[in-house]
Amino acid sequence: MKVAIEGEVRTLVAVWFEDNVVKIIDQRKIPESVEVFKARNSDDIAFAIKDMVVRGAPAIGVTAAYGLALAKMNGEDMESAVRKIGSTRPTAYDLFKAIRYMKENNYDMNAARRYANEISGRCRKIGEYGNELIPENGKILTHCNAGALAVLDWGTALAPIRFAKMEGKNPFVFVDETRPRLQGARLTAWELAQEGIDHAIIADNAAGFYMRRGEVDLVIVGADRIASNGDFANKIGTYEKAVLAKENGIPFYVAAPGSTFDFSLKSGDEIPIEERDENEVLFVNGKRLGPEESRAKNPAFDVTPAKYVTGFITEYGIYKPSELSQMKAKIERDLFMRV
């Protein structure tokens, strides 16, 4: 992804291994600054995932892969490292896919690098397929951040938009702010600005306003886990957008690599939903919202039923929920995904 640092445009990935440390663009600091968090052991990796230094299901998986290879290099107890890293974010399926992959490959650093390269390449394919859905001057609504920061490079939901920009289609993006952590306003808008893609940040509850006025051509979101029937978990607030899109006759697409599909689950009812600290809701920039006596609830994700999904944009092509068995067959023949 393109990043402007002190007037110089550089190309970076969200997570990489260098100088015997795992380097991660610290997403807590964007857009105010671009800083690199250095993880030197499995404790640092677990902290980075849990505290959302890194976030986005594919990027979490890549971080876990590098972290386990680092733990082996450091001579750590691997059972402890796996347990520690695996307990950080329960909803993101890529985390567990990466752990299985690294176990199968003896926690080798070359395997971690291959995992990262595979995810990046597969998300590029998502961009190529998804670009076909975006018309000239298309207006796309997205939720949370499913860009390069959430993957490694390219992104999932933002990958088709980046390809549309490169082809001169002049896309415009409605960026949901995504409370309570504002990943849309902070991260997605920042990525789009770096790429020179026209966009506007909107309040989460403004999406229906623009849909009803006919100003949204399609919705593209990412996913953290997708069940075999097409139900999927994504950042809290996604379910609302899907229902509104259906009501207004707007196509609703989910962009995700095969690593995000959990075919062991029959439906979204089986997806574990992470509950985060209530203070993420109660405080903004250190200032408390509401009375001291008030408490908050903070589910990090919601589940959207498959009936609201027009299609899944994957590295294998675009599939309707009713066609996911075809995709499963392709995954079963894919040596990388079979692990």
Side-chain angles (χ1 to χ4, degrees):
M1 60 181 161
K2 294 178 183 177
V3 180
I5 302 176
E6 296 179 351
E8 178 186 354
V9 177
R10 299 170 58 187
T11 299
L12 296 176
V13 293
V15 184
W16 69 100
F17 184 81
E18 184 180 45
D19 300 329
N20 293 321
V21 297
V22 180
K23 296 185 177 181
I24 306 166
I25 293 178
D26 193 335
Q27 298 186 33
R28 302 169 304 175
K29 305 299 177 66
I30 293 172
E32 289 80 10
S33 64
V34 179
E35 299 180 24
V36 176
F37 178 92
K38 297 178 181 179
R40 304 181 186 280
N41 51 50
S42 63
D43 285 330
D44 290 346
I45 292 290
F47 171 82
I49 296 173
K50 184 69 175 176
D51 206 57
M52 296 177 76
V53 173
V54 62
R55 41 141 305 282
I60 287 172
V62 170
T63 302
Y66 278 134
L68 290 171
L70 177 64
K72 182 183 179 184
M73 288 175 57
N74 290 342
E76 296 184 39
D77 178 80
M78 293 311 297
E79 286 189 11
S80 175
V82 167
R83 185 168 56 252
K84 195 183 309 174
I85 293 170
S87 65
T88 52
R89 303 291 307 275
T91 303
Y93 187 60
D94 290 68
L95 171 63
F96 307 101
K97 160 72 181 175
I99 290 172
R100 286 201 311 273
Y101 181 84
M102 291 304 292
K103 280 183 178 179
E104 288 288 328
N105 288 277
N106 199 30
Y107 308 110
D108 181 71
M109 181 56 74
N110 287 329
R113 289 193 175 97
R114 185 195 168 202
Y115 186 91
N117 290 335
E118 283 278 356
I119 293 299
S120 180
R122 288 165 187 267
C123 288
R124 180 188 173 93
K125 292 296 293 182
I126 288 173
E128 293 174 358
Y129 284 119
N131 175 39
E132 299 172 8
L133 302 170
I134 299 176
E136 293 283 340
N137 301 309
K139 295 182 179 180
I140 307 103
L141 183 136
T142 191
H143 187 68
C144 195
N145 172 258
L149 289 168
V151 178
L152 191 65
D153 197 5
W154 295 106
T156 53
L158 293 195
I161 299 168
R162 291 176 67 180
F163 271 85
K165 168 70 174 179
M166 288 188 292
E167 287 196 0
K169 289 184 177 181
N170 191 36
F172 177 88
V173 186
F174 289 100
V175 181
D176 284 347
E177 60 188 346
T178 324
R179 292 185 183 273
R181 292 186 67 101
L182 301 171
Q183 296 99 321
R186 293 190 303 105
L187 306 179
T188 297
W190 178 80
E191 286 197 44
L192 294 172
Q194 300 295 312
E195 296 285 343
I197 296 172
D198 198 12
H199 65 280
I201 299 168
I202 62 171
D204 286 344
N205 53 11
F209 172 83
Y210 291 105
M211 289 186 190
R212 189 170 183 274
R213 285 173 48 150
E215 296 189 36
V216 177
D217 295 311
L218 70 160
V219 180
I220 309 179
V221 300
D224 286 80
R225 190 182 299 223
I226 304 167
S228 59
N229 72 336
D231 296 350
F232 75 99
N234 193 48
K235 186 56 57 183
I236 192 73
T238 301
Y239 174 45
E240 299 171 0
K241 306 305 181 294
V243 173
L244 284 168
K246 185 83 168 182
E247 178 66 23
N248 287 278
I250 298 169
F252 183 96
Y253 289 95
V254 180
S259 55
T260 306
F261 287 78
D262 185 355
F263 288 106
S264 72
L265 303 185
K266 293 180 180 179
S267 75
D269 293 337
E270 300 176 55
I271 298 176
I273 298 298
E274 177 186 2
E275 292 271 349
R276 294 187 62 82
D277 192 327
E278 66 174 4
N279 286 334
E280 291 182 349
V281 174
L282 292 173
F283 289 85
V284 175
N285 293 329
K287 182 178 180 179
R288 185 182 177 92
L289 303 177
E292 288 287 341
E293 298 82 4
S294 296
R295 302 295 302 273
K297 291 184 178 294
N298 187 19
F301 305 93
D302 56 25
V303 173
T304 299
K307 67 180 181 179
Y308 294 109
V309 179
T310 305
F312 293 93
I313 310 169
T314 78
E315 68 268 44
Y316 304 102
I318 301 172
Y319 296 85
K320 298 176 182 177
S322 60
E323 298 171 334
L324 287 185
S325 60
Q326 299 174 28
M327 183 184 160
K328 181 182 179 183
K330 290 189 177 183
I331 284 179
E332 289 172 346
R333 294 192 296 270
D334 187 330
L335 292 178
F336 173 74
M337 286 296 175
R338 282 169 56 187
V339 175

